[in-house]
Amino acid sequence: MDRSTSRFQPFEINEIMLSPSSLDDSAVRSSVTSSSSSTDRLPLIQQRSLFRSLSGFVRRRRALTDSGEEPASPVRRLTTFSGVFAPVCLSMFSAILFLRLGYAVGQAGFLLTLGLFAVAYAIVTSTVFSICAISTNGAVEGGGAYYMISRALGPEFGGGIGILFFLANICSGALYVAGTVETLVNAFGKGGTYSLGLPGGGAGGTDWYSFLYGVVICLFNTCVCVVGASMFAYMSAFILAVVGVSAFVSFISFFIENHGMNITIPDSNHIAAGRNETLAWYTGISSATFHENLLPNWDVDYNIPSLTFVTAPMVFAVLFNGVTGIMSGANVAGELKNPARAIPLGTLSALATTAVVYGTLVLMIALTCSNDLLKNNYTFLQGINVWPPIVVIGVLAATLSAAMTNLMGASRVLLALARDNLFGVILRPFERTTASGNPIPAVLLSFLLMSLVLLIGSVNAIASVTSIFFLLSYFGNNLACLALELAAAPNWRPKYRFFSWHTALFGMIGCGVMMFIVSPIVTAVAFVVCLLLMVGLHIWSPDVNWGSISQALIFHQVRKYLLMLDIRKEHVKYWRPQMLLLVSNMEGVENLVDFVNDLKKGGLYVIGHVQEGSFDAFESDPLADDHPRWLEYIDRLKVKAFIELTMARTIREGIHHLVHLSGLGGMKPNTVILGFPRARMPPTLSFSSEPSSPSPELKPPCLSSEEYVMILRDILRMRKNIIIARNFRTFEKRPLLRCKTVNIDVWPLDFMKPQQVDNYDTPTLFLLQLATILQMTSQWRKKANLRVFLCHRQHTDNILRRVKTLNVLLNQLRIKGKVTPVIWDDAMQHIDRATSGGSVFAGYNGENVLSDLDPYALPEGYLSDVQRLLRFHSQSSALTFLYMPTPPLDMTKAEAYLNFLDTITALPSPAVLGK
């Protein structure tokens, strides 16, 4: 939903059908009850946008009319019977019903054939439950499995599965065309039942005549599909009646022809011809024949030239193509009158009908046909039929209609992919349709690809590839429903009551296991292709917002783990910086934002912004329009950060908001980073900024020294670490890291309290930790040398012992740093003169004399020499980490405190004060 509808409005919505066709003006006007006294109502077009989003409807990439309305959708003509039941039944019967049931029983036996059918039906039934769940959860458009998966799992996963589902329909259509060709050649070719001298019929069906017949059949189907969905609907109903009559006549023929007879082996069986076998035996109903066909009896497939022995996975691949038509109704969902009702009812009815027909025919075949007949003549039903031509008519009708169904389904999937603009200009030509919504370019491309697949050869050779593609698309469909169920999204409430996460999980596991059983190599290739498509779509980053399930799952898991993240169990050894960077505006702070991104070490990173003003002066939230701009900003910088914006009467109050409320649970900032407020510091690093479009109510902030120091004290009182960053406007990381080595300097000394030179307190350890974290990042690891400076007097300090002590500390903390002793007699002589009237006192660190030194009464010469010392040793360093003195309680000393910070941070390179 867009921003205007991101807050759920309490509309009184009447019960209506959740389909795009029902979402017209009159429906919305009647379903959205408006009140004349209410001022919190959205315009009608925004109400419709919210309503469609909640119902699951996703607007296609179409131009709007001048009135702001969408163009009229194609007319929905198809009913449950014509649009779902008939196409599903025809796709499932197809070539398997008349051409491959005998092959399955002859090779795998009656029991295993029923078992394989049971596995196939269990998989597709659970998948149908998932399809019914999605189709009754909201609006369903054309595209079948692609539309359902993409709207649930997002464009990347949906686009990858969509392409594979498109190819599955192409391969399936080619398989049915190959079945049609096989029937034509066996019936009317040389040596056929009704031989007309038709050329073709080579072993495996790979000769050029068979390919030419297939292309002609594909062209005929294309012409029918070009006419449109209504023509297809009328034909499918008529063809289903023809197939039903053929199946019924074949069934009663087992009882009428209940006696032994010889059946001729077709000439295309070159294996039997090599053994001089021309006849096989039909026994009629016989217990001996049933016993012969009860268990597997593996042999070679005479339609495959390689003479490979048939296996159970090969039989399953063929049989599974007899149950892959369950998406035929969903593929044309955009042309169904009521898809939410038609898809579940029509698909399940077709599933039950085909199961009964398959089971009955398998039983009769096992009872009446010898095993030799079943292995050597796949068209034996013609020879035992009371009227043999009815079988040829049934096969041609079933295979032609199934191929036509797949051709139409493939074109609709391609149309949906093109309209969604996931692949850019590559598929853009295929989004064009006629005035009635018929995708002519998509139909023509599907025809071309289907013709090319025919070059693979026989029905059984194409079956394995087709089964893998369909299993993968079913896998994705079940995965989508399982993810929706586990995410517990409030808007996931399908009306179909038989669906549960158990059925989705069973279907997903079943599809995955059977894919690898059928063909591990083809499965691996299919997964790799799908993965490459997903990666490509992720890089392409299509500009769509379909409510990806990944966001719902991430929310579900993040919430669970945030509740498990107990702040009472925190330990210092697992401490990591969680940064809150206070930024005024986006200009000139890119270097600092990138630096903090390196410094966070996998911790929380929040960029906070305060606008000074009164919220009561605005009719709506003045920060709402700024938030997307900040998100685009961090996307452009490629940093992993969150954005927090707030408005307050003062900058100090706004920073309180950010420090207290940023983060969630155990993921809250522990370190606040801000800029230096002096004139030398770019104004963009102060706490707040002039807004992008300033209004009289929003004044640019101007912080005094007292306000700045009070903010520092507030942050410390809130038990947060502080980092003050300076000189980052000129900090260029990339040119710097091209050097062979760079130095990161740490001065672990409070220069405001020189008597505490060896006081390795918490701020010192904090500085060392930050420098080490920066040194550990991938970009700095091979370049950065950490130098820790130790200030000492030339003649009075035991420098060797102090260096050893600091090295032991660094070693215990596993910090790879080099201790560098630095003589600072020039600075300390000013302290000595100020405290002793000009004499230099002995004693380790002078602590017996300097303990009462006022840090705000330091001699001017001391500060100048400290600055000179820092500049001399750190002038070539990439970064300098400095100890931040404690801010004063007395605000009359705020100016002196900031003058001190200004002096020690006036370096040529970026300086970081930490406490």
Side-chain angles (χ1 to χ4, degrees):
M1 291 182 281
D2 56 29
R3 191 181 298 110
S4 63
T5 59
S6 61
R7 181 175 67 89
F8 186 84
Q9 302 293 326
F11 296 141
E12 299 177 19
I13 302 177
N14 297 329
E15 186 71 23
I16 70 170
M17 295 302 299
L18 295 179
S19 64
S21 59
S22 64
L23 297 174
D24 55 11
D25 288 337
S26 59
V28 174
R29 291 192 184 99
S30 62
S31 62
V32 181
T33 304
S34 59
S35 173
S36 58
S37 62
S38 174
T39 60
D40 191 22
R41 297 296 188 192
L42 296 176
L44 179 60
I45 186 65
Q46 295 182 3
Q47 293 177 1
R48 292 182 63 189
S49 175
L50 171 65
F51 189 81
R52 291 180 176 216
S53 297
L54 289 176
S55 70
F57 177 78
V58 179
R59 179 177 295 175
R60 296 287 193 183
R61 189 177 59 86
R62 300 192 188 102
L64 296 178
T65 63
D66 294 336
S67 62
E69 300 296 324
E70 293 181 16
S73 300
V75 179
R76 294 170 176 263
R77 303 183 179 91
L78 302 183
T79 63
T80 300
F81 180 82
S82 63
V84 182
F85 180 81
V88 171
C89 283
L90 291 174
S91 295
M92 296 179 73
F93 285 145
S94 62
I96 306 303
L97 179 64
F98 295 106
L99 295 181
R100 288 299 181 268
L101 285 184
Y103 156 84
V105 175
Q107 299 284 354
F110 172 74
L111 295 179
L112 184 56
T113 299
L114 287 185
L116 294 176
F117 262 126
V119 172
Y121 269 96
I123 291 174
V124 297
T125 301
S126 58
T127 304
V128 168
F129 287 169
S130 297
I131 296 171
C132 295
I134 294 182
S135 62
T136 59
N137 184 63
V140 181
E141 293 191 76
Y146 160 70
Y147 181 85
M148 297 176 182
I149 296 172
S150 62
R151 269 48 178 186
L153 300 184
E156 293 89 354
F157 198 92
I161 292 293
I163 290 294
L164 294 181
F165 188 59
F166 166 72
L167 295 177
N169 277 276
I170 294 295
C171 293
S172 182
L175 180 145
Y176 302 142
V177 171
T180 306
V181 172
E182 182 179 317
T183 302
L184 288 173
V185 171
N186 288 336
F188 304 107
K190 182 181 178 181
T193 309
Y194 313 101
S195 180
L196 299 176
L198 195 68
T206 56
D207 63 287
W208 290 106
Y209 280 108
S210 296
F211 175 72
L212 178 61
Y213 301 151
V215 172
V216 172
I217 294 170
C218 288
L219 185 60
F220 169 76
N221 289 338
T222 302
C223 293
V224 174
C225 290
V226 165
V227 174
S230 58
M231 177 66 179
F232 170 76
Y234 294 137
M235 289 193 64
S236 63
F238 172 74
I239 294 172
L240 179 61
V242 173
V243 174
V245 171
S246 300
F248 178 74
V249 172
S250 298
F251 173 73
I252 63 174
S253 296
F254 288 111
F255 298 95
I256 297 174
E257 303 288 348
N258 190 19
H259 56 83
M261 67 177 73
N262 288 323
I263 307 298
T264 304
I265 296 177
D267 289 354
S268 59
N269 187 345
H270 294 277
I271 298 175
R275 297 194 299 255
N276 293 322
E277 296 179 7
T278 58
L279 298 175
W281 190 250
Y282 170 80
T283 64
I285 299 176
S286 168
S287 60
T289 303
F290 181 74
H291 186 268
E292 180 186 7
N293 292 322
L294 190 62
L295 299 177
N297 189 1
W298 306 113
D299 205 339
V300 296
D301 180 2
Y302 71 80
N303 258 354
I304 300 180
S306 59
L307 301 182
T308 304
F309 265 77
V310 178
T311 61
M314 294 172 63
V315 175
F316 178 82
V318 173
L319 293 181
F320 191 76
N321 282 276
V323 297
T324 55
I326 57 174
M327 289 288 188
S328 298
N331 287 343
V332 293
E335 299 169 37
L336 293 172
K337 290 182 179 179
N338 187 352
R341 179 179 183 274
I343 292 176
L345 180 60
T347 305
L348 289 173
S349 300
L351 208 62
T353 301
T354 56
V356 172
V357 173
Y358 278 140
T360 303
L361 286 181
V362 165
L363 175 63
M364 297 309 300
I365 289 171
L367 281 170
T368 59
C369 301
S370 67
N371 191 260
D372 187 54
L373 172 62
L374 298 178
K375 290 179 181 178
N376 289 286
N377 188 347
Y378 298 157
T379 59
F380 67 93
L381 286 177
Q382 296 180 41
I384 65 174
N385 204 287
V386 292
W387 188 47
I390 194 65
V391 176
V392 178
I393 295 173
V395 172
L396 293 177
T399 53
L400 274 173
S401 62
M404 198 180 306
T405 300
N406 283 107
L407 180 63
M408 179 166 286
S411 64
R412 267 52 180 183
V413 173
L414 185 60
L415 174 64
L417 285 165
R419 280 183 170 176
D420 286 337
N421 198 30
L422 298 185
F423 296 90
V425 297
I426 299 176
L427 297 183
R428 191 161 296 166
F430 304 105
E431 65 177 334
R432 299 179 180 178
T433 63
T434 62
S436 61
N438 198 13
I440 304 299
V443 172
L444 296 178
L445 178 65
S446 301
F447 156 72
L448 178 61
L449 295 179
M450 194 174 292
S451 300
L452 293 177
V453 174
L454 291 173
L455 294 172
I456 294 177
S458 67
V459 171
N460 293 2
I462 303 175
S464 296
V465 179
T466 306
S467 296
I468 296 299
F469 282 149
F470 273 115
L471 282 167
L472 184 57
S473 63
Y474 296 165
F475 178 91
N477 209 302
N478 285 298
L479 175 62
C481 289
L482 180 63
L484 287 166
E485 189 74 14
L486 295 180
N491 207 38
W492 171 247
R493 42 182 188 269
K495 294 182 178 179
Y496 188 70
R497 60 182 179 177
F498 296 108
F499 167 80
S500 71
W501 70 268
H502 304 86
T503 60
L505 179 63
F506 174 80
M508 188 180 71
I509 294 175
C511 290
V513 171
M514 294 313 301
M515 285 170 64
F516 283 97
I517 291 178
V518 170
S519 178
I521 296 177
V522 177
T523 300
V525 171
F527 269 112
V528 169
V529 171
C530 185
L531 181 62
L532 291 176
L533 289 171
M534 292 169 60
V535 172
L537 286 172
H538 180 73
I539 296 174
W540 184 270
S541 299
D543 186 18
V544 295
N545 184 11
W546 296 334
S548 174
I549 186 61
S550 61
Q551 296 300 306
L553 289 174
I554 290 171
F555 177 88
H556 186 269
Q557 292 301 110
V558 167
R559 171 188 163 277
K560 180 174 71 176
Y561 285 114
L562 276 175
L563 291 173
M564 296 172 61
L565 189 61
D566 192 345
I567 59 175
R568 295 169 295 183
K569 298 179 182 180
E570 289 181 350
H571 195 277
V572 66
K573 68 181 178 181
Y574 297 118
W575 181 90
R576 70 177 71 230
Q578 309 211 67
M579 304 295 194
L580 170 59
L581 173 62
L582 301 175
V583 178
S584 64
N585 60 49
M586 290 176 275
E587 296 179 2
V589 295
E590 292 85 358
N591 297 332
L592 180 58
V593 172
D594 184 56
F595 167 73
V596 178
N597 190 60
D598 288 341
L599 205 59
K600 71 180 188 298
K601 187 55 178 176
L604 180 68
Y605 184 12
V606 179
I607 297 178
H609 173 68
V610 179
Q611 284 189 1
E612 191 175 14
S614 175
F615 193 82
D616 294 335
F618 297 89
E619 294 183 0
S620 60
D621 186 2
L623 303 176
D625 293 333
D626 278 348
H627 197 268
R629 189 168 57 90
W630 281 92
L631 293 176
E632 293 174 1
Y633 176 73
I634 63 173
D635 289 341
R636 177 166 56 85
L637 295 182
K638 298 180 180 179
V639 296
K640 298 177 180 179
F642 299 95
I643 296 296
E644 289 291 347
L645 307 179
T646 188
M647 173 175 284
R649 291 169 293 182
T650 65
I651 300 301
R652 183 184 178 193
E653 181 183 341
I655 292 176
H656 291 173
H657 297 168
L658 292 175
V659 175
H660 277 131
L661 300 178
S662 296
L664 187 65
M667 296 282 290
K668 297 186 73 68
N670 56 30
T671 303
V672 180
I673 306 172
L674 32 78
F676 198 74
R678 290 299 181 170
R680 295 189 190 124
M681 197 63 199
T684 52
L685 294 185
S686 58
F687 306 105
S688 185
S689 68
E690 183 178 0
S692 55
S693 300
S695 62
E697 295 84 357
L698 294 175
K699 306 289 186 182
C702 182
L703 290 176
S704 64
S705 299
E706 291 78 9
E707 289 175 317
Y708 185 86
V709 174
M710 283 191 293
I711 288 171
L712 296 180
R713 292 204 59 85
D714 291 344
I715 295 172
L716 291 175
R717 287 164 60 194
M718 287 185 263
R719 297 185 179 182
K720 306 295 182 183
N721 302 310
I722 295 180
I723 292 177
I724 299 178
R726 184 174 184 181
N727 300 337
F728 274 88
R729 177 181 285 271
T730 59
F731 177 65
E732 296 289 343
K733 183 177 69 174
R734 290 176 180 82
L736 189 67
L737 293 180
R738 294 194 192 103
C739 302
K740 187 174 182 180
T741 58
V742 294
N743 294 321
I744 299 175
D745 293 349
V746 179
W747 294 82
L749 166 65
D750 185 354
F751 287 107
M752 192 172 272
K753 297 180 180 179
Q755 71 274 21
Q756 299 178 0
V757 67
D758 283 335
N759 183 21
Y760 301 128
D761 55 2
T762 300
T764 300
L765 299 178
F766 176 60
L767 286 178
L768 292 171
Q769 183 82 336
L770 290 179
T772 302
I773 288 173
L774 184 64
Q775 189 187 31
M776 293 169 61
T777 59
S778 58
Q779 292 181 311
W780 291 84
R781 184 183 301 123
K782 297 180 181 179
K783 300 284 186 178
N785 293 325
L786 180 60
R787 300 189 301 182
V788 183
F789 289 99
L790 179 61
C791 296
H792 71 97
R793 295 186 179 185
Q794 187 172 7
H795 300 295
T796 58
D797 293 346
N798 187 349
I799 187 59
L800 294 178
R801 181 165 64 86
R802 294 177 62 200
V803 170
K804 181 179 179 180
T805 300
L806 185 53
N807 274 322
V808 170
L809 175 63
L810 296 180
N811 186 53
Q812 289 177 344
L813 297 176
R814 301 170 305 285
I815 295 176
K816 296 179 181 180
K818 179 183 178 182
V819 178
T820 304
V822 173
I823 299 173
W824 70 330
D825 286 0
D826 292 344
M828 290 303 296
Q829 67 180 350
H830 299 287
I831 302 294
D832 294 335
R833 291 191 184 99
T835 56
S836 61
S839 61
V840 178
F841 279 73
Y844 181 64
N845 288 339
E847 290 185 4
N848 55 337
V849 177
L850 303 179
S851 57
D852 296 330
L853 181 65
D854 184 1
Y856 294 97
L858 295 173
E860 184 177 349
Y862 169 77
L863 292 177
S864 300
D865 284 333
V866 167
Q867 185 186 64
R868 191 178 301 112
L869 180 74
L870 293 171
R871 281 178 169 271
F872 178 79
H873 290 283
S874 296
Q875 63 179 345
S876 61
S877 65
L879 290 162
T880 303
F881 288 88
L882 298 169
Y883 190 110
M884 174 184 159
T886 302
L889 289 172
D890 186 359
M891 288 300 107
T892 61
K893 298 178 180 180
E895 188 69 25
Y897 177 76
L898 292 182
N899 286 335
F900 181 86
L901 298 186
D902 187 24
T903 301
I904 65 174
T905 58
L907 300 173
S909 60
V912 176
L913 286 163
K915 186 171 183 67

